[in-house]
Amino acid sequence: MLNLPFQPRYLLPPLFLMLFSTIFAAFDLNNLLEFNRNLVEQGEIWRVFTSQFVHANWAHLGLNCSGIFLIWLLHGEYTTPLRYTANICLLALWCGLGVYWFCPSIHIYTGLSALLHGVIIWGTVKDVTLGLKSGYLLFTGVWIKIAFEQFSGPNADIGKLINSTVAIDAHLIGAVGGTLLGIPLAIKYLKNSD
């Protein structure tokens, strides 16, 4: 039988993340919150952060909510509400700044997918520190997916579904961010292994 993390401390943070994104979609706040390079350069710097929580359309939101749910299934019990919030906020800022600095061809950007790549990578590192061999497999699998996207380009079918180009470079930025967030876990694990 599955032992899912239904305790409120594990369940509420991802539910709030989905709720906030849904509220932003319901009130159509993209014009105010999406990453828009021209507006960021004119001083609307909050967009670097808030762009992670708005979506191109309802299908885009649905895909990202599915990702939140999957990560909760895999790693929901690893975080406290404070750690979850810190990881989400740090990765949102990291991904937004990464898109701004390293992806000059991206003028409009929305969505949680980059951030979620970072969250799942952090979870895989936590898996490894707990002695779960599946952590190595999932870590490698995510990086193979990232490499495949970099060589083959964005998935056209998903692009049609979300009515936008899949920002594969943002996925790479998110995965790097998750790896960096995982370094303290790995260092602690290695110190304890000696």
Side-chain angles (χ1 to χ4, degrees):
M1 183 170 159
L2 291 176
N3 187 16
L4 296 176
F6 283 116
Q7 297 90 340
R9 69 181 181 268
Y10 302 133
L11 188 57
L12 290 178
L15 286 178
F16 278 127
L17 180 57
M18 288 189 266
L19 177 65
F20 283 126
S21 293
T22 302
I23 289 170
F24 294 157
F27 286 97
D28 194 22
L29 297 178
N30 282 32
N31 286 336
L32 179 64
L33 303 177
E34 72 188 3
F35 177 91
N36 179 315
R37 184 169 297 278
N38 292 334
L39 295 176
V40 169
E41 290 172 352
Q42 292 173 26
E44 296 185 14
I45 58 173
W46 67 84
R47 293 171 179 275
V48 167
F49 180 80
T50 60
S51 59
Q52 311 302 307
F53 307 103
V54 292
H55 294 82
N57 59 25
W58 288 101
H60 189 198
L61 174 63
L63 284 173
N64 282 320
C65 285
S66 297
I68 294 168
F69 178 72
L70 174 65
I71 293 167
W72 170 78
L73 284 175
L74 292 169
H75 304 133
E77 74 281 4
Y78 290 167
T79 62
T80 63
L82 182 60
R83 167 52 62 195
Y84 191 91
T85 303
N87 283 357
I88 295 300
C89 289
L90 287 170
L91 286 167
L93 186 58
W94 170 267
C95 292
L97 288 171
V99 167
Y100 182 75
W101 287 329
F102 302 117
C103 305
S105 64
I106 295 179
H107 295 280
I108 302 291
Y109 175 81
T110 60
L112 282 163
S113 59
L115 178 156
L116 293 177
H117 280 76
V119 173
I120 199 161
I121 287 289
W122 182 89
T124 65
V125 174
K126 184 70 175 177
D127 278 344
V128 170
T129 67
L130 295 173
L132 299 172
K133 302 281 190 242
S134 59
Y136 293 104
L137 185 62
L138 189 54
F139 182 88
T140 303
V142 172
W143 277 106
I144 288 172
K145 178 221 180 252
I146 297 287
F148 180 77
E149 285 179 337
Q150 290 297 309
F151 289 111
S152 67
N155 184 304
D157 292 331
I158 293 177
K160 285 181 194 172
L161 180 66
I162 67 172
N163 196 28
S164 183
T165 302
V166 178
I168 58 172
D169 291 337
H171 294 173
L172 172 61
I173 291 164
V176 169
T179 303
L180 293 172
L181 273 181
I183 288 174
L185 295 174
I187 290 171
K188 184 178 178 183
Y189 172 72
L190 292 171
K191 283 183 180 178
N192 292 336
S193 297
D194 289 341

